[in-house]
Amino acid sequence: MIRFTNAIVRLPCRNLVNGLAGAGLGPPDYGKAVEQHAAYVEALRGCGLAVTVLEPDEAYPDSVFIEDTAVLSDDTAVICRLGAPSRRGEEKGVGLALKPFFSGLEAILAPGTLEGGDVMLVARRFYVGLSARTNRDGARQLGEILKRQGMETVPVPLSTVLHLKTGISFLGDGLLLASGEFLQQGIFSDFAIVAVPAGEEYAANSLRVNDRVLVPAGFPETRRAIERTGLETLAVDVSEFRKLDGGLSCLSLRF
Ligand code: GLY
């Protein structure tokens, strides 16, 4: 499992309340989102990461979900062309923030679209969800960039989830946390699967950071299932981000 030393986050903007939402849970409470975000940053720091915190960007309601703007590998950052038109442009400031850390900067170009939430890294292999946000051309472009670095990409057709990592997370050591359509997905048949209990599907977006797994607060069965594998967990409340279909992984870029 890769050990992370850094993370980049972006503070929620007031315009967050106008973010894209499909969950039907109502708009997020901005004040509560700010508090939850601060606790999330502290959790990352508690896992040993140095966290760069970017200023809020009011032009983009969803800009707190910074993971979607880039895919990071070794010394290269791939800047995404987001699939959601209202989010296109979020990536510009992120490229600047990543520049000091990465010697190579690449970009996904039109007509390709790619969102980082659709990309799951397992060792030297990137699984790329083909979703409403990430198209085949975006996945192909990413594959070509990563191939030059000796890495492979595996496309994963999605049917129900927004992003690949909405429904599946890599916990390290050949272990996946999975829900719904991914429980029967042959592409992942070589992995040991921790199944997310029915009713707790949102917790499939948990986040392994070094020696801990961050789990969204309020999903005790999933937390226990992860702990049974011997991993240490930490519950982090992201209820306001859930209202915008966002989760623990979406809120940071880790490297
Ligand atoms: N609200 C996050 C997204 O839909 O991209």
Side-chain angles (χ1 to χ4, degrees):
M1 188 79 198
I2 291 175
R3 286 197 75 80
F4 299 115
T5 52
N6 285 279
I8 299 183
V9 301
R10 187 181 289 288
L11 293 168
C13 60
R14 289 186 179 278
N15 205 6
L16 179 79
V17 296
N18 295 311
L20 296 172
L25 298 172
D29 178 302
Y30 168 70
K32 218 167 148 187
V34 169
E35 281 172 22
Q36 291 182 352
H37 194 268
Y40 174 79
V41 169
E42 280 317 302
L44 292 181
R45 290 189 173 128
C47 295
L49 306 194
V51 184
T52 302
V53 181
L54 306 183
E55 291 301 309
D57 186 346
E58 295 294 342
Y60 298 101
D62 288 294
S63 51
V64 72
F65 301 119
I66 194 167
E67 178 183 61
D68 289 322
T69 62
V71 175
L72 309 175
S73 98
D74 293 348
D75 52 6
T76 298
V78 182
I79 306 302
C80 295
R81 179 169 181 270
L82 283 87
S86 68
R87 299 192 59 186
R88 247 170 242 160
E90 282 179 26
E91 71 283 0
K92 286 186 190 128
V94 179
L96 286 177
L98 288 168
K99 219 168 170 183
F101 297 100
F102 291 88
S103 57
L105 276 186
E106 303 264 1
I108 302 299
L109 305 174
T113 63
L114 180 78
E115 295 196 357
D118 277 319
V119 181
M120 180 173 73
L121 174 61
V122 177
R124 305 286 291 169
R125 177 182 293 167
F126 287 77
Y127 292 90
V128 184
L130 300 173
S131 68
R133 302 289 183 83
T134 293
N135 65 18
R136 283 194 180 274
D137 190 58
R140 178 193 60 75
Q141 291 183 43
L142 180 68
E144 284 173 6
I145 293 165
L146 294 175
K147 198 171 171 191
R148 294 199 286 274
Q149 300 175 23
M151 282 176 267
E152 65 170 329
T153 49
V154 177
V156 184
L158 306 186
S159 52
T160 58
V161 290
L162 174 65
H163 286 130
L164 176 67
K165 286 184 290 191
T166 308
I168 192 163
S169 304
F170 182 53
L171 296 178
D173 307 318
L175 201 57
L176 291 174
L177 177 67
S179 69
E181 65 190 85
F182 301 107
L183 293 172
Q184 306 301 331
Q185 170 58 271
I187 290 172
F188 300 115
S189 58
D190 287 346
F191 291 89
I193 304 270
V194 177
V196 174
E200 293 204 359
E201 287 78 4
Y202 177 72
N205 184 258
S206 289
L207 185 61
R208 172 90 188 254
V209 186
N210 297 341
D211 298 325
R212 282 189 202 132
V213 181
L214 310 189
V215 183
F219 300 91
E221 296 290 325
T222 305
R223 193 174 176 190
R224 273 195 288 276
I226 295 169
E227 285 174 349
R228 277 197 291 273
T229 70
L231 287 163
E232 187 185 328
T233 65
L234 177 68
V236 180
D237 192 357
V238 284
S239 63
E240 300 316 294
F241 303 105
R242 182 185 184 196
K243 292 173 181 173
L244 299 179
D245 307 319
L248 287 164
S249 75
C250 316
L251 292 172
S252 62
L253 285 161
R254 304 149 303 274
F255 50 98

